[in-house]
């Protein structure tokens, strides 16, 4: 099913007698939970309104992300939250859509400085489980009347409604960019360096540590953006501040810097390699210790260490139970992004949060049409925990 208009989509949902699996470009399988008749938003495509001077964009949910980025690039602007492309990591095909980005709240390395996808949502339109068209927020910043449902839909993975249109705040592309790299640091020292850089007044927009950089050795990465003179000055100050961690090299070629951060954004070191992939959200200073306690894993640290991507090869001694236990003890959150088996994909929820989630599901999708099994799986995981 591929409705071509919002009214057609609403009619389809209102008349549905069986569960529906909501699809954009099909590049991000929702938690690996199958089931439901496919309902695609791809035909709901196109830019509705773009006002570069007001830094606002209104676009239909099925619009390919590449098309959105091309439109913005034509005016020297971009999506500030730097959404990742999951295709290489998940070995999927198709084209990512802007609706899929919003539904999964996909946010890349720049989140540490700019914020997440949900922070740039001005408004949203969606069809709920009864076939009603719901609108919340506004199309431009001055007309935004509320963010309640806007924030709720971001990260809901299509379980509460089918997004048909989003309004986004965009930002200009900076005049210059620079990448500071420090080679050879251990995980602990690398995260220490990142935390020091992020604690400085020099507006770091990317902070990552790779156990295996482009040359196969550890690499600590810090990004700076802005005017050319400002980038040069801040890079010099950070070199001095981080001198105890070793000599830092500054790369200013835009293509080289973009490629380096695209690799971090898309978790490129794990592409084409067997094994489960986990995504951990933890306190940065806890991250190296958690990884060190898991046998046989490989890690990529983003967001200054607050986001950890883990690769568990088949021969790894660590398993899902060990990961969840280590992360839970540190007060963090763990999600299995790739892989199968008995391990639940989602973090079990505290009972009050699970009850709130169930109440929202009942309110917005009382017939349980959307992405069947996703919330039910998380509820089972919570009960088991």
């Amino acid at each position: 099913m591929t409705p071509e208009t919002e009214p057609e989509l609403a009619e389809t949902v209102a008349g549905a007698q069986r569960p529906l699996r909501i699809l954009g470009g099909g590049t991000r399988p929702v938690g690996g939970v199958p089931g439901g008749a496919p309902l695609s938003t791809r035909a709901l495509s196109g830019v509705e309104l773009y006002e570069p001077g007001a830094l606002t964009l209104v676009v239909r949910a099925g619009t390919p992300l590449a098309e959105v980025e091309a439109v913005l690039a034509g005016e020297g602007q971009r999506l500030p939250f730097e959404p990742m492309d999951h295709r290489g990591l998940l070995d999927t095909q198709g084209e990512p859509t802007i609706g899929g980005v919003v539904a999964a709240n996909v946010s890349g390395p720049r989140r540490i400085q700019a914020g997440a996808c949900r922070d740039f949502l001005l408004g949203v339109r969606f069809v709920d489980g009864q076939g009603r068209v719901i609108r919340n927020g506004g199309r431009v910043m001055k007309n935004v009347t509320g963010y309640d449902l806007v924030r709720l839909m971001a990260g809901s993975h299509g379980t509460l409604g089918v997004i048909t249109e989003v309004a986004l705040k965009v930002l200009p592309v900076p005049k210059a960019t620079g990448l500071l790299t420090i080679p050879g640091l251990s995980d602990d020292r690398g995260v220490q360096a990142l935390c020091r850089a992020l604690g400085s007044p020099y507006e770091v927009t990317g902070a990552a540590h790779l156990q295996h950089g482009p040359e196969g050795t550890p690499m600590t990465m810090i990004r700076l953006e802005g005017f050319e003179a400002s980038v040069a000055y801040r890079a010099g100050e950070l070199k001095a501040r981080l001198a105890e961690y070793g000599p830092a090299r500054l790369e200013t070629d835009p293509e080289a810097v973009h490629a380096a951060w695209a690799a971090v954004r898309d978790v490129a070191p794990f592409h084409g390699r067997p094994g489960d992939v986990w995504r951990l959200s933890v306190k940065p200073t806890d991250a190296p210790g958690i990884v060190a306690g898991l046998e046989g894993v490989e890690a990529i640290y983003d967001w200054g260490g607050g986001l950890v991507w883990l690769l568990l090869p088949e021969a790894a001694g660590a398993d899902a139970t060990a990961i969840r236990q280590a992360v839970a003890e540190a007060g963090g959150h763990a999600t299995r992004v790739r892989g199968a088996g008995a391990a639940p994909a989602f973090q079990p929820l505290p009972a009050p949060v699970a009850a709130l989630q169930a109440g929202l599901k009942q309110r917005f999708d009382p017939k349980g049409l959307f992405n069947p099994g996703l919330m039910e799986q998380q509820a089972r995981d919570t009960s088991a925990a």
Side-chain angles (χ1 to χ4, degrees):
M1 293 177 285
T2 310
E4 296 185 358
T5 65
E6 188 179 70
E8 184 181 345
L9 171 62
E11 183 179 352
T12 299
V13 172
Q17 299 300 316
R18 56 175 177 163
L20 302 170
R21 180 160 53 95
I22 314 305
L23 298 173
T27 63
R28 301 178 183 91
V30 183
V33 180
L39 175 62
S40 174
T41 63
R42 286 301 302 274
L44 301 174
S45 181
V47 174
E48 291 284 297
L49 173 70
Y50 180 33
E51 296 185 350
L55 300 176
T56 54
L57 172 73
V58 181
V59 62
R60 293 180 180 179
T63 308
L65 178 61
E67 182 179 325
V68 172
E69 293 176 330
V71 168
L72 294 176
E75 296 291 338
Q77 296 180 346
R78 69 184 181 187
L79 296 172
F81 47 90
E82 199 174 5
M84 76 174 287
D85 185 340
H86 286 78
R87 287 176 291 185
L89 184 65
L90 301 181
D91 192 24
T92 53
Q93 304 297 318
E95 288 287 334
T97 63
I98 190 64
V101 168
V102 172
N105 191 36
V106 180
S107 311
R110 200 174 288 110
R111 179 174 182 171
I112 57 170
Q113 187 264 346
C117 172
R118 63 165 55 94
D119 298 314
F120 290 89
L121 275 174
L122 301 175
V124 64
R125 291 175 67 97
F126 66 95
V127 175
D128 73 1
Q130 300 180 66
R132 300 177 298 183
V133 177
I134 310 294
R135 184 183 72 177
N136 187 242
R139 285 189 159 203
V140 294
M141 285 181 283
K142 65 181 180 181
N143 291 335
V144 173
T145 56
Y147 287 114
D148 299 8
L149 298 186
V150 173
R151 299 295 179 86
L152 186 64
M153 294 303 292
S156 63
H157 292 277
T159 59
L160 302 179
V162 185
I163 297 173
T164 60
E165 179 186 280
V166 295
L168 293 158
K169 177 184 176 181
V170 299
L171 290 178
V173 175
K175 298 295 183 181
T177 184
L179 168 63
L180 278 176
T181 55
I182 307 173
L185 297 181
S186 65
D187 290 5
D188 188 57
R189 294 275 289 169
V191 171
Q192 286 179 22
L194 296 178
C195 290
R196 183 171 297 187
L198 288 168
S200 76
Y202 302 122
E203 298 182 18
V204 170
T205 66
H209 175 76
L210 308 181
Q211 289 184 328
H212 303 285
E215 298 179 1
T217 55
M219 183 65 68
T220 304
M221 306 166 57
I222 298 166
R223 181 172 57 190
L224 301 167
E225 297 175 303
F227 292 105
E228 184 175 355
S230 173
V231 169
Y233 168 76
R234 287 180 283 145
E237 293 297 307
L238 279 174
K239 282 184 177 182
R241 182 170 292 219
L242 302 175
E244 69 178 86
Y245 298 98
R249 176 180 178 270
L250 176 63
E251 174 62 71
T252 58
D253 177 70
E255 292 186 5
V257 175
H258 173 76
W261 284 102
V264 174
R265 179 196 69 195
D266 299 340
V267 200
F270 294 171
H271 291 188
R273 299 174 60 186
D276 290 1
V277 174
W278 285 73
R279 184 181 187 275
L280 315 184
S281 179
V282 295
K283 187 168 67 175
T285 51
D286 288 337
I290 291 173
V291 173
L294 299 171
E295 182 182 349
V297 304
E298 183 178 328
I300 296 172
Y301 300 83
D302 199 358
W303 300 354
L307 170 63
V308 183
W309 294 94
L310 284 184
L311 176 66
L312 277 68
E314 294 179 0
D319 59 15
T321 301
I323 292 172
R324 281 267 157 77
Q325 181 177 349
V327 172
E329 290 174 352
H333 185 279
T335 302
R336 178 171 49 78
V337 177
R338 189 182 80 192
F346 297 96
Q347 181 82 11
L349 298 174
V353 178
L356 179 61
Q357 177 176 274
L360 288 169
K361 180 68 171 176
Q362 177 61 32
R363 179 70 174 176
F364 286 95
D365 183 22
K367 294 189 291 183
L369 293 175
F370 298 140
N371 287 341
L374 180 60
M375 285 190 173
E376 290 81 355
Q377 184 193 61
Q378 192 167 33
R380 289 195 300 272
D381 300 342
T382 297
S383 299

